[in-house]
């Protein structure tokens, strides 16, 4: 942001300045806090005619504390896979109405189709215990459906069941540092004094910081 832009958009400039003081670990912890609180993400892809399509999806559980990639379970015959093949750049966003925290990712994305139980287990679809297959199937078949043909059963062996791995280039998010009362007071004071309110921080996890965190996995 240039000096002129900072002057005209002092709210963003102030939030970015506060966010820049956060350590890489603080930024990763804050982002995970938002993802865990919200659970459901909006995944946006682009069709071959340039239209943007968004849909709500739940990312699978993280396998490590420093994991920043998102993994989604999806049906590989759905339109989202065609759109990923057309343009692998997507956006994933989260918003927590309880706190007003939000996160958005500048991303590249790869869709992985796998019938191997290993990757699916890591993503929370499957489990190492064969006796758990009934509960696994009941969780996934609600979304995929059991076609009663002995193959498309909505379980980890279903050829439709695939993984979408979202690999971030950059993560940008707003992290509230004041409660509702504190935010209201600060905004009120700003309205009277003309000073820019600063109820939160605008944080960016850079590509270099993402690569460092992923290297720890």
């Amino acid at each position: 942001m240039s000096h002129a832009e900072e002057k005209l958009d002092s709210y963003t400039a102030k939030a970015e300045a506060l966010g820049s003081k956060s350590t890489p670990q603080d930024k990763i912890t804050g982002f995970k806090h938002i993802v865990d609180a919200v659970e459901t993400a909006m995944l946006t892809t682009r069709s071959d005619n340039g239209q943007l399509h968004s849909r709500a999806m739940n990312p699978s559980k993280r396998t490590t504390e420093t994991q920043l990639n998102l993994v989604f379970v999806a049906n590989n015959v759905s339109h989202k896979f065609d759109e990923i093949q057309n343009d692998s750049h997507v956006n994933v966003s989260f918003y927590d109405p309880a706190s007003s925290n939000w996160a958005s990712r500048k991303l590249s994305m790869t869709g992985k189709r796998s019938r191997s139980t290993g990757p699916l287990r890591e993503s929370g679809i499957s489990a190492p215990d064969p006796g758990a297959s009934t509960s696994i199937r009941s969780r996934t078949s609600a979304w995929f459906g059991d076609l009663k043909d002995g193959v498309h059963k909505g379980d980890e062996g279903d050829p439709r069941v695939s993984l979408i791995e979202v690999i971030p280039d950059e993560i940008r998010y707003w992290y509230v540092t004041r409660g509702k009362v504190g935010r209201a007071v600060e905004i009120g004071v700003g309205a009277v004094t003309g000073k820019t309110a600063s109820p939160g921080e605008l944080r960016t996890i850079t590509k270099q910081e993402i690569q460092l965190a992923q290297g720890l996995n």
Side-chain angles (χ1 to χ4, degrees), residues 27-70:
K27 289 190 283 188
I28 291 172
T29 299
F31 174 71
K32 291 192 299 182
H33 175 76
I34 296 173
V35 173
D36 291 343
V38 177
E39 296 184 350
T40 300
M42 292 301 295
L43 170 64
T44 302
T45 55
R46 188 187 299 274
S47 67
D48 57 3
N49 62 5
Q51 292 184 334
L52 298 175
H53 296 154
S54 296
R55 76 282 293 166
M57 297 185 70
N58 293 329
S60 300
K61 63 183 180 182
R62 291 187 302 273
T63 57
T64 69
E65 283 301 307
T66 57
Q67 179 182 329
L68 294 174
N69 287 8
L70 291 176

Side-chain angles (χ1 to χ4, degrees), residues 39-176:
E39 296 184 350
T40 300
M42 292 301 295
L43 170 64
T44 302
T45 55
R46 188 187 299 274
S47 67
D48 57 3
N49 62 5
Q51 292 184 334
L52 298 175
H53 296 154
S54 296
R55 76 282 293 166
M57 297 185 70
N58 293 329
S60 300
K61 63 183 180 182
R62 291 187 302 273
T63 57
T64 69
E65 283 301 307
T66 57
Q67 179 182 329
L68 294 174
N69 287 8
L70 291 176
V71 177
F72 298 93
V73 179
N75 190 327
N76 57 45
V77 301
S78 64
H79 291 304
K80 65 178 74 69
F81 274 83
D82 293 332
E83 293 172 348
I84 293 167
Q85 185 174 2
N86 173 66
D87 188 344
S88 64
H89 295 90
V90 304
N91 187 71
V92 179
S93 59
F94 299 85
Y95 177 66
D96 182 5
S99 64
S100 80
N101 288 334
W102 59 262
S104 183
R105 291 182 170 207
K106 177 184 176 184
L107 304 157
S108 61
M109 174 192 216
T110 56
K112 292 185 177 180
R113 176 174 175 170
S114 174
R115 296 184 65 180
S116 169
T117 57
L120 296 178
R121 284 174 181 163
E122 293 175 3
S123 300
I125 288 204
S126 186
D129 178 9
S133 60
T134 300
S135 62
I136 294 165
R137 185 160 52 250
S138 66
R139 289 204 307 269
T140 58
S141 63
W143 304 111
F144 290 86
D146 186 346
L147 303 187
K148 308 300 182 183
D149 59 3
V151 177
H152 302 90
K153 298 184 291 183
D155 60 7
E156 67 271 17
D158 190 321
R160 298 170 298 170
V161 177
S162 297
L163 303 181
I164 295 174
E165 182 180 13
V166 181
I167 305 168
D169 290 332
E170 180 181 276
I171 300 172
R172 190 171 173 85
Y173 70 93
W174 169 264
Y175 196 76
V176 173

